Amino acid sequence: MTLIDKKLNRRSFLKVSTLAGGGMMLSFSWLAGCKPTAEEVLTMPDEWFTINSYIKIGENGAVTLFNPNPEFGQNVKTSLPMILADELDVDWKNVFVEQADFYPERFERQFTGGSNSVRSSWKPLRTAGATARYMLINAAAQTWNVPAGEITTSTGMLEHKSSGKKAGYGELASLAGTLEAPDPEAVKLKENADFKIIGNSKKNVDGAKIVTGKPLFALDHKVEGMKYAAIVHPPAFGMKLKSFDKSSVTSLPGIQDAFEVKVFKDDYGRNFFDTTTFPEIIAIVGNSTWEVMQAKKKLNVEWEKAPDSTFPMAGRGGQNMDIKVPGGLENSAAHKEKMAEYITKPGNVQRKDGDPEGAFKKAARVLERTYTAPFLAHNTMEPMNAFADVKGDKAVIYGPTQAPESIMNALSSSLGLPKENIQINLARMGGGFGRRAYSHHLVEAALISQKIQAPVKMVYSREDDMSAGVYRPTYSATYRAALDENNNLLALHIKAGGIPESPLHANRFPAGAIDNYLAEGWQIESNITIGAFRAPRSNFIAGAEQSFLDELAEEMGKDPIEFRLELLKRAETNPVGERNDYDPKRYAGVLELVREKSNWSSVPNGISRGVSAYFCHNSYVAEVIDVSIKDNQPVVENVFAAVDCGIVVNPDAAANMGEGAIVDGIGNAFYGEMAFENGVPTKTNFDKYRMIRHSEAPKKIEVHFVESTEDPTGLGEPLFPPVFAALGNSLYKATGKRLYDQPFQPQIMQMENLRM
């Protein structure tokens, strides 16, 4: 491993190459998957010339573009280079894509999560591409002795029309790479109308490797002398290690050692989880994954209850705070009792408009409903794993992580090494969904490698991750609406909370559309580890909110879409309150589009139809779900989605991502559930934790995008939250029963005869 100089300024990052860091680079031309003719594809050049951190150009005009962000199936390894290529003005068929490793000084925000990859990279990548094109133009101007302003570019060619001089990028790349990079703020970017690649679908650059089983994932990685490791964690939340007998496994075939791995802490003196201390674990090291996993079953170990604890952590605003973690072995039955109790107590007021208390006193009637949802496991298809090689004062880490910058602190403090001596190489992930934003598995592998002074691959079993993982919190929300004698809406009151966080977004719709509005939040402490789960908090509160609005519309005798549009019109023309986080016009736009595309008012025979809409991750989504009843069971027939996420970089890939979010949402709405008994998860593998099956996917999914000139916003997560209410609202029409608790399937099974 060669470590690189990390002392770079903003202008320098546009001028240096990631190649100086060595590392593991994966390269593939998308055209190889399409079997083009030999004349269509440039061969690998004999020499590459670095233009900036993101771009290198071969002497034959071939272009390598570096994808800075971790890839876990959302297609950023294709869409981000597309942005670069368009501003660079090259032919996509001559582009090779490589996965960049973690170099924060050379690449901005190497994080995948929050549906923010394209949004946050849009301007930096366009600037990097345009800067490289600027440097090539100036190289041509120097070579031809003509004004740079008279030189044009087109698909990898430079031209000075008045003199007739032309050259490919490869001919001038060597000189361009030596020129001073301009101030990024002074570089002129393309007008949207001039895009040639952005907005046109391109195939996944890793597609052929994925379907043919080529090495792409950390699980595929091997080096000579590598050992294998498995970990043993406490059998329940609220327990910690007391002692273990090393000799109970070290005599087994292929087992080298067993030892304790101490808790790790980041720069704030806490462990990497935001919600609880991570207990000591036991590592078993041997010659194969099979042998170490078999040894786990025979390890003689004793656990004890963990006490209450308090530890400092950094808050979202940068301030330090103390987090209290209760001891004890928690139960889901007790969780439900506590949440029911908190519903009756005053919460923390997060927004108040008008006089909601007075409006409820004057109400002719009040509609009140409570919604709940359980803990959820992430269940990434690729198990958690990591490779580490820590020797002396150097460390190389290779594994699936959404947040390499966040885990660097924990690696540095745990290993006792400066950050500049640690290289994190990024592997393609077999799913993320927020789970791999918590990359403790990288630290565990690093500590094991440091202990044995040899390279090691550590692999979790499915049971490891499902029983000692990071979960979506369990939530509850109560909605109350005050109506007058003429069915006019007087006030709305939301009280939402969870274990151990609240899902409330107080300034989102319908805030700003109702004169009298009250939003309260609450939370209950827990020792169960929770973390980001696809569309955090929104994945629950959207379902509760949109289900209640549907029931409220029915109570008021209004069409569900028209009712929402009326509220949004009020928020647009005469908004209430000082801050509303959404644009009501764009919100209304997706509802109008989905109404059109689903032919909302013409419901086919045998179909029950529900609608939902939500704003999160800076994007707007409305969905209509069609359900039929067959063999006394609901079947999802069709899903129509309307999305406003600004400019869509790669339309086919965007639609695919939306389809995946919809299927994921349907599966979680019907079946997703994790419960705990005495701190022990009740489900540890897919024999009990029910996932959606291929045959249960909708027969048809249509994803429609609003034509937009706005900069791109989020996409991987926003299509997920609306699913829950759209499905719940359609199931109500199909069965005649409102479903207030997730998952839906257990309640459906109790219905003797469905209505249709």
Side-chain angles (χ1 to χ4, degrees):
M1 179 191 72
T2 304
L3 293 171
I4 64 171
D5 177 18
K6 297 193 175 185
K7 298 178 180 179
L8 300 169
N9 58 31
R10 175 169 169 77
R11 182 176 295 191
S12 297
F13 94 92
L14 289 170
K15 189 69 178 68
V16 297
S17 169
T18 55
L19 289 183
M24 302 176 62
M25 298 293 185
L26 306 173
S27 176
F28 175 61
S29 169
W30 76 275
L31 280 169
C34 302
K35 296 184 179 179
T37 63
E39 292 76 23
E40 288 180 302
V41 179
L42 294 176
T43 58
M44 274 290 185
D46 294 326
E47 187 174 6
W48 290 103
F49 303 103
T50 296
I51 309 300
N52 59 45
S53 291
Y54 298 91
I55 299 167
K56 61 179 183 177
I57 299 176
E59 87 286 339
N60 64 345
V63 177
T64 287
L65 302 177
F66 290 93
N67 168 50
N69 286 34
E71 168 69 70
F72 60 59
Q74 77 283 40
N75 217 36
V76 292
K77 193 175 176 183
T78 304
S79 57
L80 296 186
M82 286 174 66
I83 299 170
L84 277 168
D86 210 323
E87 286 289 353
L88 180 59
D89 202 1
V90 295
D91 194 327
W92 184 252
K93 75 173 185 285
N94 295 327
V95 168
F96 296 83
V97 175
E98 294 187 7
Q99 175 64 57
D101 289 325
F102 178 60
Y103 294 123
E105 295 81 7
R106 300 182 178 218
F107 302 104
E108 295 191 358
R109 194 183 180 276
Q110 289 186 271
F111 170 73
T112 295
S115 293
N116 219 10
S117 292
V118 172
R119 179 173 180 258
S120 63
S121 300
W122 178 248
K123 181 68 178 296
L125 291 184
R126 292 185 67 192
T127 301
T131 298
R133 178 163 49 88
Y134 174 96
M135 294 166 68
L136 287 160
I137 287 172
N138 277 275
Q142 288 186 26
T143 302
W144 298 337
N145 195 26
V146 299
E150 296 179 4
I151 297 175
T152 60
T153 64
S154 178
T155 58
M157 295 293 296
L158 297 139
E159 181 178 8
H160 184 248
K161 292 184 179 178
S162 61
S163 67
K165 293 180 178 178
K166 294 182 180 181
Y169 282 2
E171 299 173 62
L172 294 161
S174 177
L175 175 59
T178 67
L179 300 180
E180 178 68 21
D183 184 344
E185 300 299 327
V187 175
K188 181 175 174 57
L189 304 180
K190 281 185 177 182
E191 298 295 330
N192 292 357
D194 296 327
F195 291 150
K196 299 175 183 176
I197 297 174
I198 293 169
N200 293 290
S201 297
K202 302 299 178 187
K203 295 183 183 295
N204 186 321
V205 297
D206 281 340
K209 286 189 175 181
I210 293 170
V211 299
T212 57
K214 296 295 191 298
L216 277 174
F217 303 92
L219 279 173
D220 301 319
H221 186 57
K222 295 180 180 179
V223 299
E224 188 173 348
M226 183 177 77
K227 297 297 181 180
Y228 295 82
I231 59 99
V232 181
H233 60 257
F237 289 96
M239 299 195 78
K240 67 175 185 175
L241 178 64
K242 183 177 182 181
S243 65
F244 72 100
D245 180 7
K246 174 178 176 177
S247 64
S248 62
V249 295
T250 49
S251 61
L252 296 174
I255 301 303
Q256 174 181 319
D257 201 357
F259 49 86
E260 184 179 345
V261 177
K262 294 290 187 179
V263 63
F264 49 83
K265 297 180 179 181
D266 67 14
D267 286 348
Y268 298 111
R270 63 181 175 88
N271 81 337
F272 186 62
F273 287 127
D274 286 345
T275 56
T276 185
T277 56
F278 188 74
E280 298 91 341
I281 62 172
I282 302 165
I284 301 176
V285 179
N287 295 329
S288 72
T289 299
W290 173 257
E291 288 170 321
V292 295
M293 286 190 171
Q294 292 306 302
K296 283 176 59 175
K297 301 174 183 178
K298 299 183 179 181
L299 182 68
N300 186 358
V301 58
E302 187 176 359
W303 309 94
E304 61 184 354
K305 289 184 180 180
D308 294 351
S309 60
T310 301
F311 62 94
M313 68 167 282
R316 291 181 179 177
Q319 76 280 12
N320 288 338
M321 61 180 69
D322 287 337
I323 297 297
K324 296 179 180 179
V325 179
L329 305 178
E330 300 182 15
N331 292 280
S332 289
H335 289 161
K336 292 179 180 179
E337 291 177 1
K338 283 185 179 180
M339 290 196 294
E341 177 187 344
Y342 269 67
I343 289 172
T344 65
K345 297 179 178 180
N348 298 316
V349 176
Q350 297 186 22
R351 175 164 174 156
K352 183 177 180 181
D353 296 330
D355 180 18
E357 295 90 350
F360 274 98
K361 289 179 181 178
K362 294 187 295 184
R365 65 187 187 282
V366 173
L367 182 68
E368 179 174 331
R369 298 291 184 263
T370 296
Y371 304 84
T372 70
F375 287 98
L376 293 177
H378 287 82
N379 293 328
T380 59
M381 290 297 98
E382 175 199 16
M384 309 302 288
N385 69 95
F387 167 85
D389 189 1
V390 182
K391 293 175 183 173
D393 64 349
K394 299 289 193 298
V396 176
I397 313 297
Y398 182 52
T401 174
Q402 294 177 232
E405 186 167 6
S406 297
I407 201 61
M408 180 61 89
N409 288 335
L411 283 166
S412 178
S413 59
S414 297
L415 296 173
L417 298 177
K419 295 178 185 178
E420 57 267 25
N421 285 16
I422 302 171
Q423 180 60 55
I424 301 176
N425 297 325
L426 303 180
R428 186 182 182 96
M429 292 172 271
F433 316 110
R435 175 63 181 93
R436 298 189 204 273
Y438 307 92
S439 304
H440 51 92
H441 52 292
L442 271 64
V443 181
E444 291 164 356
L447 288 170
I448 295 168
S449 176
Q450 187 179 54
K451 171 76 172 179
I452 66 174
Q453 285 293 290
V456 68
K457 181 191 290 185
M458 185 199 66
V459 181
Y460 279 26
S461 68
R462 179 63 58 191
E463 289 82 359
D464 287 331
D465 192 41
M466 200 177 287
S467 62
V470 181
Y471 307 93
R472 198 281 302 270
T474 180
Y475 292 124
S476 177
T478 297
Y479 282 74
R480 299 170 64 232
L483 299 171
D484 67 13
E485 61 277 0
N486 296 317
N487 271 346
N488 295 312
L489 179 60
L490 300 177
L492 188 70
H493 176 203
I494 306 167
K495 187 188 294 183
I499 300 175
E501 71 170 11
S502 170
L504 187 62
H505 291 280
N507 297 316
R508 291 184 183 172
F509 179 78
I514 301 169
D515 288 327
N516 303 297
Y517 175 84
L518 177 63
E520 299 178 274
W522 52 268
Q523 61 189 51
I524 300 170
E525 294 167 352
S526 173
N527 57 33
I528 295 172
T529 52
I530 62 100
F533 187 103
R534 194 171 201 164
R537 298 188 291 164
S538 300
N539 57 46
F540 166 74
I541 203 68
E545 168 200 293
Q546 292 289 307
S547 294
F548 185 74
L549 289 180
D550 233 59
E551 191 164 356
L552 182 56
E554 183 180 44
E555 186 78 12
M556 298 171 71
K558 295 185 176 183
D559 174 83
I561 291 182
E562 283 298 332
F563 175 54
R564 289 168 172 82
L565 290 174
E566 286 176 12
L567 291 173
L568 289 164
K569 192 64 177 178
R570 168 67 196 280
E572 179 188 356
T573 59
N574 188 21
V576 180
E578 297 181 359
R579 175 189 171 188
N580 299 314
D581 291 344
Y582 60 95
D583 180 337
K585 192 170 184 179
R586 294 180 71 179
Y587 208 136
V590 293
L591 275 164
E592 290 166 348
L593 181 59
V594 84
R595 178 169 60 180
E596 171 198 340
K597 296 299 183 182
S598 67
N599 199 9
W600 170 256
S601 59
S602 299
V603 183
N605 291 333
I607 291 294
S608 295
R609 177 168 283 177
V611 68
S612 174
Y614 199 67
F615 161 78
C616 69
H617 298 85
N618 304 286
S619 294
Y620 303 81
V621 177
E623 294 172 355
V624 167
I625 291 182
D626 289 347
V627 168
S628 67
I629 301 297
K630 295 179 180 177
D631 298 326
N632 213 40
Q633 285 297 309
V635 175
V636 179
E637 300 283 352
N638 310 305
V639 181
F640 304 90
V643 185
D644 185 348
C645 59
I647 295 169
V648 179
V649 175
N650 194 354
D652 282 353
N656 290 342
M657 186 155 45
E659 292 164 2
I662 288 167
V663 173
D664 191 17
I666 291 170
N668 278 285
F670 270 127
Y671 311 115
E673 182 180 27
M674 178 61 81
F676 297 87
E677 294 181 3
N678 294 322
V680 180
T682 58
K683 301 171 184 177
T684 60
N685 212 318
F686 296 137
D687 59 331
K688 293 182 179 179
Y689 198 106
R690 179 78 154 80
M691 304 288 286
I692 191 169
R693 295 165 182 162
H694 285 285
S695 61
E696 295 165 335
K699 294 181 179 178
K700 180 174 70 173
I701 301 177
E702 294 182 9
V703 180
H704 302 275
F705 296 96
V706 173
E707 291 188 13
S708 177
T709 58
E710 299 286 337
D711 287 355
T713 51
L715 188 56
E717 291 164 283
L719 283 97
F720 186 70
V723 171
F724 296 84
L727 179 59
N729 293 334
S730 64
L731 289 171
Y732 162 68
K733 292 179 181 177
T735 66
K737 182 177 179 180
R738 293 279 181 184
L739 302 176
Y740 300 105
D741 304 303
Q742 295 173 26
F744 297 150
Q745 188 63 20
Q747 300 163 77
I748 293 170
M749 294 294 290
Q750 294 176 6
M751 301 180 191
E752 291 185 3
N753 290 294
L754 303 189
R755 192 161 67 183
M756 293 181 59

